[in-house]
Amino acid sequence: MQFTVKEEKGFKYVEEGEGEVLILLHGLMGALSNWEAVINEFKGRYRVIIPMLPIYDLPLLTTGVKTLSKFLNRFMKFKQLEQSILLGNSLGGHVGLIFTIKHTAKVKALVLAGSSGLYENAFGGTFPKRENYEFIKEKVELTFYNPATATKELVDEVYAAVNDRHKVIRILAMAKSAIRHNIAKELKHITVPVCLIWGKNDIVTPPEVAVEFNQLLPDSELNWIDKCGHAPMMEHPAQFNTYLNSFLTRIAST
């Protein structure tokens, strides 16, 4: 499915549907296609918005998760968004966590899937063989429990990114920033409801990371998806949407 990317005032974003605002935050290697099943499922009831995080457009010295959180704040001000529900995968979850700590009043609830912020085996830690297509393909496949989820289109996108010098140095800088920025001590300040949806076979942010998030976040629930890696909304979209819908229904009634 093709989504229309709007460009206004220096922001690029996708916006579908009407209603309560659901903001989707992509990961370091995230693409619009990652969220296709979520958009299709919820655009009939929610105003689903995906801001394109400017990972490749930041000055190298300011490339980091805190800068992306500030970008999200500017974007929400531009769109005049208040009391939104944030849903983040991987790096996007990390951005959502930092934003929620700084701007609790703007967040109604938070959904995390394979979020960084505590510990991760960074995909972008190093690319010793980045010119080797098969090496990159194997790296991308490790993101999932089922390697077939790593489509040729997805592998091609990652391969192109890591072989673009401008992009790869920012990918590495962002990955290192995420690893450095551990927010374990700050999670107690997140008092909004949090839904954790995690792949039992995630090797990037392993299951123990989800357990620790669940223990440290004051109001959180943890949902597991079996035979699933780092991107459950891609690998098991129906089950992911079932958990998400259940959470959204619960918080709507409180």
Side-chain angles (χ1 to χ4, degrees):
M1 179 179 179
Q2 294 296 315
F3 302 109
T4 301
V5 178
K6 300 178 181 179
E7 294 191 37
E8 295 180 285
K9 304 292 184 180
F11 297 104
K12 295 180 181 180
Y13 63 97
V14 168
E15 184 170 353
E16 298 281 342
E18 296 181 358
E20 192 168 19
V21 176
L22 183 59
I23 299 176
L24 311 183
L25 301 170
H26 62 79
L28 185 59
M29 300 292 186
L32 284 178
S33 59
N34 294 18
W35 296 112
E36 183 173 336
V38 174
I39 297 171
N40 289 337
E41 176 68 25
F42 293 96
K43 67 180 181 179
R45 292 165 284 154
Y46 289 84
R47 183 182 172 194
V48 183
I49 303 175
I50 312 178
M52 304 290 101
L53 300 178
I55 294 169
Y56 304 135
D57 302 324
L58 298 173
L60 192 55
L61 289 176
T62 60
T63 295
V65 286
K66 285 186 176 180
T67 305
L68 292 182
S69 174
K70 292 175 182 177
F71 168 85
L72 177 59
N73 189 41
R74 292 195 303 273
F75 176 76
M76 290 181 68
K77 284 182 177 179
F78 162 67
K79 294 293 290 180
Q80 299 180 323
L81 303 175
E82 297 290 344
Q83 277 286 290
S84 301
I85 300 164
L86 305 183
L87 194 170
N89 173 239
S90 196
L91 176 70
H94 202 158
V95 173
L97 285 161
I98 295 171
F99 181 86
T100 303
I101 292 166
K102 298 289 185 183
H103 308 282
T104 302
K106 293 186 176 183
V107 180
K108 179 177 179 178
L110 184 60
V111 182
L112 304 174
S115 176
S116 56
L118 293 178
Y119 167 81
E120 63 174 313
N121 289 311
F123 176 91
T126 180
F127 294 104
K129 303 176 185 176
R130 62 191 176 99
E131 294 178 1
N132 184 321
Y133 186 88
E134 285 303 313
F135 171 79
I136 298 300
K137 181 174 181 284
E138 289 174 8
K139 279 280 193 179
V140 176
E141 288 175 345
L142 286 173
T143 306
F144 306 102
Y145 175 81
N146 180 1
T149 311
T151 63
K152 185 178 185 304
E153 180 185 12
L154 182 60
V155 175
D156 287 349
E157 287 178 5
V158 175
Y159 180 78
V162 300
N163 281 283
D164 180 316
R165 186 177 180 279
H166 174 86
K167 290 182 178 180
V168 75
I169 58 175
R170 283 161 178 79
I171 290 170
L172 294 171
M174 191 65 73
K176 290 174 182 176
S177 168
I179 292 169
R180 285 195 307 267
H181 195 87
N182 185 294
I183 56 175
K185 294 180 180 179
E186 300 173 81
L187 293 179
K188 62 186 177 183
H189 300 300
I190 296 181
T191 55
V192 301
V194 180
C195 177
L196 302 161
I197 307 176
W198 226 267
K200 277 190 176 180
N201 310 92
D202 187 343
I203 63 172
V204 180
T205 47
E208 56 265 30
V209 175
V211 172
E212 187 173 356
F213 268 126
N214 193 32
Q215 292 170 340
L216 294 175
L217 288 161
D219 182 7
S220 65
E221 64 174 59
L222 176 53
N223 304 281
W224 294 109
I225 299 182
D226 198 14
K227 296 181 179 179
C228 180
H230 189 55
M233 71 286 184
M234 295 176 67
E235 199 158 10
H236 291 281
Q239 192 170 353
F240 182 90
N241 285 342
T242 296
Y243 283 137
L244 178 56
N245 185 62
S246 177
F247 176 71
L248 294 177
T249 300
R250 180 172 69 80
I251 64 172
S253 62
T254 57

